[in-house]
Amino acid sequence: MFKIAAYISAMTYPRSDHYDGSHFFNPETGPGFGRRGGFVRVLRRRFSRDPAAWAKWPARVDNQPHPPLGERDGVRFLGHAMFLIRLGDVWAITDPIFSARCSPSQTVGPQRVRAPGLGVAELPEIGLVLLSHNHYDHMDLGSLRALKGRFPGARIITPLGNGAYLARKGIGGSIELDWWESVRLGAVEVTITPARHFSARTLRDRRKMLWGGLVMKAEGKSVYFAGDTAYTGAFAEIGGRLGAPDLALLPIGAYEPRDFMRAVHMNPDDAVRACLDLGAKRAIGMHFGTFQLTAEEIDAPVRALAAARAAHGVAEERFFTLDVGESWGFQGAGDLSG
């Protein structure tokens, strides 16, 4: 592990408005999760016996059967931040995690309460993996190895530093991009976009790899996958520079205690504002109901999303959630369906 940490520490990139020659950073000012004592406070609430400090989740939630996406362009929600995306004849998967825990160890750490909507063996032919950043609930090495074992030709599109890290772990096929950089693979174009977050795999590599969202365009449609982010002024810039997305996949969970989680995770009200800033035609909530990472109840994000829609005058058919395994599809060019 120390060799990997030393290798990561040696990686450098051109200086920019979000890289100082040693570490990546968020250009926007404000309090951050990384301030002293923040992580300790999360752990203190996690192990408190006070149910108000850390809500009790069920040990298991059974999935319900849902029909597949079929031949339509659209998405299928597989749990947490993992979606299948179909645009044309290309299948992509976002931040794949099929493991029982999102942790350095499969014996300790946050445990899955809902099975993935599909297993690796049930997936269609994956051509692209859209990987937002290196946190354990988004970059799961076991899942990436399983995907590359079944789909060796799949390309991983990810922000700077993550591809080099994966290569050191024996997972090849990555394309690293900086914010606003794009790559075209056949009929598909993918652009990395800014996010307000941070990165870390160990105590020694904090902010050494970049984080971001991804926009996938093909067949005259665009899907924006936000990855993991706090509310940011970049949403309006993303919509302005890349066009209003036909579909935005936005995180709505893991936001309590709010006093310091607001710097790295959106709550549902933030997510509705992000949808409006982007000008998204439709939005689907994610990053909730699978792993208990923070203090809120398992169904709190969905309830809070309904309240946020009402407060901002956003119709339910514009911003909604899917059950694990449920699909949503485009009807045709320019037409949207629920």
Side-chain angles (χ1 to χ4, degrees), residues 91-110:
W91 287 95
I93 192 168
T94 65
D95 287 356
I97 179 163
F98 298 91
S99 298
R101 297 180 186 270
C102 55
S103 169
S105 167
Q106 287 300 297
T107 58
V108 295

Side-chain angles (χ1 to χ4, degrees), residues 226-275:
D228 216 350
T229 182
Y231 180 77
T232 168
F235 292 128
E237 187 177 8
I238 291 166
R241 290 177 63 159
L242 301 179
D246 294 303
L247 177 63
L249 307 175
L250 299 173
I252 63 169
Y255 52 82
E256 293 289 354
R258 198 71 196 130
D259 56 341
F260 57 92
M261 291 307 297
R262 72 174 62 252
V264 290
H265 285 167
M266 292 196 291
N267 66 8
D269 189 79
D270 292 333
V272 171
R273 290 192 293 142
C275 173

Side-chain angles (χ1 to χ4, degrees), residues 63-92:
N63 290 340
Q64 301 302 310
H66 292 285
L69 185 60
E71 299 301 314
R72 298 182 298 168
D73 286 357
V75 300
R76 186 169 188 176
F77 183 45
L78 303 186
H80 198 55
M82 181 168 55
F83 286 86
L84 269 179
I85 303 174
R86 179 190 171 111
L87 289 183
D89 59 357
V90 176
W91 287 95

